[in-house]
Amino acid sequence: MTRQKIEIKKIDNITARQVTFSKRRRGLFKKAQELSTLCDAQLALIVFSSTGKLYEYSSSSMQQVIKRHSLQSDHYPEKSRQPSFDELQKKRHALLTREIAEKTMEIRHLKGEKLENLSLEELKRLEKMIETGLERVIETKDNKFIHEIDSLKRKGVLLSEENKHLQQMAGTSGVVPIIDVEILEQGESCESITAISNPEDLDSSDTTLKLGLPFPESS
């Protein structure tokens, strides 16, 4: 049966916390002793429990290890000194400048510029990248064309339905607003169009419908 993995978080139960601390502290000191023996390493461990009790282990003398650590810090102060804000900003600026230069050169490569210094493998990788990008561009363009065509078709259906609705309304009210769009598109003009509001007035001599340009009067 495999051992269940324990979630690493603070143990709320005080008794369980003390038991775990005792077990793991002994295991930690045992590993430190093994590391010192196997690798001839000089090390020291200092542990304070949650109650403030001190536990320590040293491969030789604790004072000698601490003194050696102090001497090492004095000889190499840069390792122990934290970098200042200005130094961090300079490093960040240098990193961003290098990234911008790399991205700029990558864009120039995609445009077909500055390819002389690229190796054969880099050129193949660049070619593959361009082919993949071109396929995506074509696919996106085709999808937009299809979307626009579908949109125009829907607009055409709506206009046709609206035209039928207007014709039905005109037939119900007795008004016949007939305008031949094809005649207008062919360049013929309509001087006057009389809408008949009553079907019985169709026989009236007062109703006129004139199409086209008027005839010139004879002099």
Side-chain angles (χ1 to χ4, degrees):
M1 185 177 179
T2 59
R3 184 178 299 178
Q4 186 178 4
K5 187 176 180 180
I6 301 175
E7 184 180 2
I8 304 300
K9 66 177 184 178
K10 181 180 177 180
I11 301 175
D12 296 329
N13 187 280
I14 298 177
T15 303
R17 187 194 310 162
Q18 292 294 336
V19 172
T20 302
F21 173 80
S22 179
K23 290 181 179 180
R24 294 197 175 235
R25 174 180 53 81
R26 288 196 297 266
L28 177 62
F29 287 172
K30 182 179 179 181
K31 291 295 182 182
Q33 182 182 8
E34 292 175 356
L35 178 62
S36 175
T37 303
L38 293 173
C39 304
D40 193 24
Q42 190 176 9
L43 54 88
L45 291 176
I46 299 176
V47 180
F48 287 95
S49 67
S50 59
T51 58
K53 189 174 181 180
L54 171 65
Y55 299 90
E56 62 180 26
Y57 168 81
S58 176
S59 58
S60 57
S61 170
M62 178 65 71
Q63 296 297 330
Q64 290 180 358
V65 176
I66 294 176
K67 184 178 180 180
R68 183 174 181 181
H69 176 268
S70 300
L71 292 174
Q72 191 78 6
S73 300
D74 293 338
H75 286 135
Y76 301 98
E78 292 295 329
K79 292 185 178 180
S80 59
R81 185 178 66 85
Q82 294 294 331
S84 63
F85 178 77
D86 292 338
E87 291 174 343
L88 292 175
Q89 289 296 101
K90 289 180 180 179
K91 290 182 179 180
R92 180 174 176 81
H93 180 268
L95 178 62
L96 292 176
T97 302
R98 184 168 63 252
E99 290 182 356
I100 291 173
E102 292 175 355
K103 294 298 181 182
T104 302
M105 185 57 65
E106 183 177 348
I107 293 174
R108 298 190 69 177
H109 290 164
L110 292 174
K111 291 181 178 180
E113 302 175 358
K114 298 292 183 180
L115 304 178
E116 297 80 8
N117 297 328
L118 296 180
S119 63
L120 182 60
E121 293 299 325
E122 291 175 338
L123 290 173
K124 289 181 179 180
R125 186 165 56 251
L126 179 62
E127 182 183 11
K128 183 65 176 178
M129 185 186 304
I130 294 175
E131 290 178 353
T132 303
L134 183 60
E135 290 175 358
R136 292 178 179 176
V137 170
I138 294 175
E139 181 180 0
T140 304
K141 182 188 67 175
D142 292 341
N143 291 334
K144 285 188 177 294
F145 276 145
I146 294 174
H147 178 72
E148 290 182 2
I149 291 173
D150 292 339
S151 178
L152 291 175
K153 287 181 178 179
R154 289 193 296 269
K155 289 181 180 179
V157 172
L158 292 176
L159 290 175
S160 178
E161 293 177 354
E162 185 177 358
N163 189 25
K164 291 180 180 179
H165 179 66
L166 292 175
Q167 290 179 358
Q168 292 176 357
M169 292 179 60
T172 303
S173 61
V175 180
V176 188
I178 302 175
I179 301 176
D180 197 337
V181 179
E182 294 182 356
I183 295 177
L184 295 178
E185 290 179 350
Q186 292 174 1
E188 297 185 10
S189 63
C190 180
E191 180 182 3
S192 63
I193 298 177
T194 303
I196 304 174
S197 58
N198 189 353
E200 297 178 356
D201 293 339
L202 289 175
D203 296 334
S204 177
S205 59
D206 295 334
T207 302
T208 59
L209 178 62
K210 299 180 181 180
L211 296 177
L213 296 173
F215 292 100
E217 297 180 358
S218 58
S219 57

